[in-house]
Each structure stands twice: as structure tokens, then as C-alpha cells.
Amino acid sequence: MLSGLLGAGSGAGAQGQPRVLVADPEPVVQATVRNAALKVRVALGFPAVLLLNADAARAAGLKPVPLVGKFSFSSPLVPGGRAVFRFNLVRVGLDGAPRRRLPTVWIDPHVTARTDGVVSIFAFEGERILWERPTARRAGETYEILRDGRDDPEAWVRLGGERIRVTLAPDAPVTIMNARAARALEAEGLVRRMPAVGLWEPIPGARLPYQRLRPAPGARLLGLPLARPAARIGEAEARAIDAAAEAGTSTAEDDADTIVVRGERGGGRRGREPWLLIGADVLDQCWRIELDRPAKVWRLTCAFEGGA
């Protein structure tokens, strides 16, 4: 659904009133880039950047080989975990707001199949940005998650000797984590592995296997319940768990997320730094997600099943 920014339009944030983005299930807004009006969905998990599919960037008249330099983009949503893209600072208008320069990255293959691109919630101006889902039950409790900085989307939690990077990812169907994060949760008795696998598609054409985890009764992370957690695994391991599992498309680089620590003194390989994405299994039960910049928190209002 192409949604507008409610309230006082482009000046709402500057006047102290919160900006509201309507999520159905995610907000979709118009990004004006040069003379092109593009539909982009809003994401919570990365800093103030506009990511465009390559064909949308070309339609907007952006050069396929930009001149300004490189942008280092680190996210579990990118297969391989980290990539370096060419980018430009482009004047972008978001849903009628005055245009301002925004780091704009164009990616081939596509970063999303549902719209022309993805824009961060941090690209919107204002001290408070509200992500509201009109179809969710407007009830429940409010939870606060401290972020790493004013314009940083990430939270951190220490478990089982690991420091885990936590990101809100409403487009992930389940709460998914890499092997090091899963081992830390297992060590704390929060989850145990199940003999069931699935496939996660962070971007079109990339299907990465995961193993389902069973949360312990009442298990929580950062105050939120663990609903349907899952851990990244390699394709060979997925086939061993379930002979009928469909093969994914992960590469050797992607498999760094499936490596756990072997030996307490570095006796084995270590995978990528621990990360965990809180997915739709949890966030679909939240009717409001608030980005509070001054307080450096995510503020979630949720009615969890069973009153969790």
C-alpha cells in the first residue's frame, strides 16, 4: 500500500509532532529521485541510506558507475554479511518532504522484488518516527530497547560470552540468527535445536537454510519473547537434518554465518560476529514501533500471544 506520512506532512518532525508511517505490513512511500517517482519500502535495520534496484536507478537517470566513491554496507540482510557498493549523494524527496542529500546505492541483482527499492526509517527527519500497523490489535505493553546511538539501528546484548548485534527486521519471517548467536542462546538455556529446517530469502534469489529452534518456556531477549527462532546452517547440514529439504543458494562466504566456536582457546574457526534479527514472528504482534532519536531507543507496543 502506497502510504503517506500522516500528521503535518513534511514539517511534522520539525514542529515536534511525531511522524507516522502506516505499515501494511511495511510502509511504502514515494521517493522522488530527479524526475522519477519511485515506490520504496521502509526498513528498520540499517542507517540513513536509500537502496535502489539497478533498473529503478537507471530509470531515474543515475549513472551505473557513480563517481563519489564507495559505501561499506554491513548487514545480515546482505548475503555474505558485508558488501561494498559504489554510491552517490543524491537529492531525494521522501513522500513530499523537501529534497535533501541522501546516500543512494544501486544494486544489481535486485535488493527487493516488491518495490523499486528500500529506504531506512533513519532517512526521515524528525525526533520521533512512528511505524504503525492498522490491522494489529491496539493493546498490550510497551517495551524499550536501547540502541547503540541516536541514528544507529542496532541494539546489543551479552549472552554466553558473546556480544550479539540485534536488529529489528519485520520482513524476516522468523527471528533468525547466525551460529555464534544461536550457540550463546543455547548456552543460556533459552533455546534448543529442532529436527526441522527452512529457507530464508533476504534478497531475491538468495535462499539461505536455517534450523528451527524451540524456545524455553518464557524465554525472552531484550524483554521480547522468543516466538519462532531459527539458526543459520549450511546446506549440507540442512540436507542431513531433512533429506527432503530443498537446496538453497548459499555460498562459501555465506557459510561463515554457520560456523560456531570450536575450543575455548581458539582451537577452531570462528564465524562472523554474532547477529540476530527479530523477525515478523515477534514484530507482527506490535501495532506500534517508535524510533525515539533523543532517547536512543526503539519503543515497541505489542500484544503477544498468551500475554507474554
Side-chain angles (χ1 to χ4, degrees), residues 44 177 206 279 284 299-301 307:
L44 304 176
M177 66 200 79
D284 275 358
R299 191 171 290 114
L300 286 64
T301 306

Side-chain angles (χ1 to χ4, degrees), residues 135-156:
T135 56
R137 186 159 61 98
R138 297 201 171 203
E141 298 183 29
T142 299
Y143 305 81
E144 287 193 351
I145 299 175
L146 182 65
R147 296 182 289 104
D148 204 35
R150 175 182 170 87
D151 288 305
D152 194 320
E154 296 171 347
W156 297 88

Side-chain angles (χ1 to χ4, degrees), residues 58 64 71 88 92 119 127 133 138 144 147 154 183 198 205 213 243 271-272 277 285-286 300 308:
R58 286 190 286 266
F71 176 79
N88 259 332
V92 177
V119 68
E127 298 291 77
R133 182 178 284 108
R138 297 201 171 203
E144 287 193 351
R147 296 182 289 104
E154 296 171 347
R183 177 164 172 166
L213 306 174
R272 292 198 187 93
L277 303 178
Q285 300 175 74
C286 302
L300 286 64

Side-chain angles (χ1 to χ4, degrees), residues 13 22 32-33 69-71 74 88 102-103 117 142 157 195 239 272 285:
V22 177
T32 305
V33 181
K70 295 180 180 180
F71 176 79
S74 177
N88 259 332
L102 190 66
T142 299
V157 64
R239 287 191 291 269
R272 292 198 187 93
Q285 300 175 74

Side-chain angles (χ1 to χ4, degrees), residues 253-299:
E253 179 66 15
D254 293 317
D255 281 350
D257 272 328
T258 71
I259 298 169
V260 298
V261 181
R262 293 183 176 87
E264 296 191 7
R265 298 187 178 273
R269 290 194 300 162
R270 291 175 68 87
R272 292 198 187 93
E273 292 302 310
W275 57 259
L276 181 146
L277 303 178
I278 298 176
D281 55 326
V282 173
L283 298 180
D284 275 358
Q285 300 175 74
C286 302
W287 77 270
R288 171 179 283 179
I289 301 173
E290 177 183 347
L291 165 62
D292 186 330
R293 278 189 164 108
K296 301 178 184 177
V297 299
W298 292 114
R299 191 171 290 114

Side-chain angles (χ1 to χ4, degrees), residues 98-165:
R99 297 193 191 203
R100 61 190 186 95
R101 293 192 181 275
L102 190 66
T104 301
V105 179
W106 42 101
I107 301 173
D108 199 0
H110 285 183
V111 68
T112 180
R114 303 197 293 277
T115 57
D116 296 313
V118 185
V119 68
S120 168
I121 193 172
F122 290 90
F124 295 90
E125 294 186 297
E127 298 291 77
R128 295 172 59 219
I129 315 292
L130 304 181
W131 164 304
E132 293 189 352
R133 182 178 284 108
T135 56
R137 186 159 61 98
R138 297 201 171 203
E141 298 183 29
T142 299
Y143 305 81
E144 287 193 351
I145 299 175
L146 182 65
R147 296 182 289 104
D148 204 35
R150 175 182 170 87
D151 288 305
D152 194 320
E154 296 171 347
W156 297 88
V157 64
R158 289 191 179 274
L159 280 179
E162 297 278 21
R163 186 171 184 257
I164 302 171
R165 174 164 52 112

